Amino acid sequence: MTGPIFIVGNGRSGTSVLLNTIRKTLDIPGHGEGHFHPLAFELMTSANRFFNKNERKAESENHLLHYVELKKIKREIRNIIAATYKEQYGTEYFIDKTPGPQGVQSVPFVQDAFPNTKVIFAHRRGIEVVRSAMKKFPHVEFEGHCKIWKNSMANWRTARSQLHVPYLEIDQHDIANSPSLVSKRIGDLLELDEEQVKTLETYFTNDRPQSSGDLNTGMVSLETSGWDEEQIRIFRRNCGAIMTEFGYSEGSDYRVSSE
């Protein structure tokens, strides 16, 4: 493998354990968190908005804007993003973890800067994510945590349809409960040898994902989450449809049965 690995997904969904495990296994450079490539989305969106807003002005040959190509501007934006990573790491072989809705949203723009990239989307059932986030970030309102999870999942639904590079979806529940299977899937994506896959499994087994009590067991239901009736109503309003779309259950079985 010669291209970069980008890990995106909601916080509290296994992004850290994926980053640390892959980085140690492959001895690949990368920071604890990136939070840089979302700039690509912001710049591309701004460029599109500017040219659309000034479309009529660009029709006149008396205006400089008439001779400026949006396609060229976008190409330069991609070059800036790629050059920054290369300057930082000295290579196109690195790993980046950028959790949160923005990171998910911007990952399709990264593939244009790095055509050889591989993408891993880390996800987890909304009940566990919100419970975990409430413990780590108690200053954030309950509905705020719900919206962050919902937006990350919805953004992935859109981003996934735009990707033309190899990608993989990994659920933290599976990292905790099926490390061998997860290691094999990552090995297939990254074209690793048997020894590297075994090393991944060893790290996954010994370096457990961050959790609090029963957060990785999948045995908690919405009704036993410890939330009051208003919080349950807020969760369902924000996250109910996305939970169903991604096959998550409100019950203690974590996923909706395929039977």
Side-chain angles (χ1 to χ4, degrees):
M1 178 176 173
T2 58
I5 305 166
F6 283 90
I7 299 173
V8 297
N10 202 107
R12 321 308 297 160
S13 295
T15 57
S16 292
V17 72
L18 284 167
L19 169 75
N20 293 333
T21 297
I22 294 173
R23 186 163 57 175
K24 288 186 293 186
T25 298
L26 303 182
D27 191 25
I28 182 173
H31 286 80
E33 293 198 355
H35 295 291
F36 170 69
H37 69 75
L39 177 61
F41 176 83
E42 297 294 334
L43 293 175
M44 293 287 191
T45 302
S46 294
N48 284 331
R49 186 184 303 116
F50 177 85
F51 276 83
N52 288 334
K53 183 179 180 180
N54 293 281
E55 184 176 7
R56 293 195 63 181
K57 295 178 182 178
E59 293 176 357
S60 173
E61 295 182 0
N62 292 324
H63 297 162
L64 170 61
L65 185 60
H66 175 79
Y67 303 96
V68 178
E69 296 182 19
L70 175 58
K71 183 183 297 185
K72 182 177 180 180
I73 297 296
K74 289 184 175 181
R75 184 168 61 248
E76 291 303 318
I77 291 173
R78 289 192 291 267
N79 290 341
I80 290 171
I81 299 298
T84 300
Y85 278 108
K86 292 174 185 177
E87 180 181 358
Q88 184 65 226
Y89 299 120
T91 177
E92 290 190 4
Y93 182 60
F94 61 86
I95 188 167
D96 180 282
K97 182 195 86 165
T98 299
Q102 282 189 315
V104 178
Q105 185 180 49
S106 66
V107 77
F109 295 93
V110 172
Q111 69 183 346
D112 294 327
F114 295 103
N116 294 325
T117 194
K118 305 286 179 67
V119 175
I120 298 177
F121 173 68
H123 59 108
R124 189 183 188 189
R125 188 171 66 160
I127 297 171
E128 280 75 16
V129 168
V130 173
R131 292 182 75 218
S132 180
M134 289 175 66
K135 291 177 180 293
K136 187 168 184 179
F137 307 108
H139 60 284
V140 178
E141 293 184 358
F142 178 83
E143 188 163 16
H145 289 305
C146 294
K147 288 181 177 179
I148 290 172
W149 181 81
K150 176 190 71 173
N151 291 338
S152 292
M153 300 299 286
N155 286 354
W156 174 247
R157 177 183 57 202
T158 301
R160 179 175 57 189
S161 68
Q162 298 171 349
L163 289 176
H164 48 74
V165 297
Y167 67 84
L168 182 63
E169 300 177 0
I170 296 291
D171 194 305
Q172 179 165 329
H173 179 78
D174 296 327
I175 298 176
N177 296 284
S178 303
S180 178
L181 176 61
V182 170
S183 299
K184 177 65 167 58
R185 294 180 65 206
I186 293 175
D188 290 342
L189 175 74
L190 304 183
E191 301 176 4
L192 306 183
D193 59 35
E194 291 185 9
E195 182 177 349
Q196 290 172 317
V197 171
K198 190 63 179 178
T199 300
L200 283 175
E201 182 180 352
T202 299
Y203 282 130
F204 280 137
T205 302
N206 297 326
D207 300 344
R208 307 304 293 173
Q210 300 176 24
S211 68
S212 300
D214 54 10
L215 288 177
N216 284 325
T217 66
M219 298 303 291
V220 176
S221 69
L222 190 57
E223 300 298 333
T224 62
S225 62
W227 301 336
D228 59 35
E229 291 184 3
E230 176 64 11
Q231 288 174 316
I232 291 176
R233 184 185 68 81
I234 290 172
F235 180 85
R236 281 183 170 143
R237 184 181 70 225
N238 285 278
C239 306
I242 295 290
M243 285 267 289
T244 300
E245 180 179 342
F246 280 85
Y248 288 125
S249 167
E250 290 187 356
S252 59
D253 46 359
Y254 193 79
R255 293 185 174 97
V256 176
S257 174
S258 58
E259 299 181 357

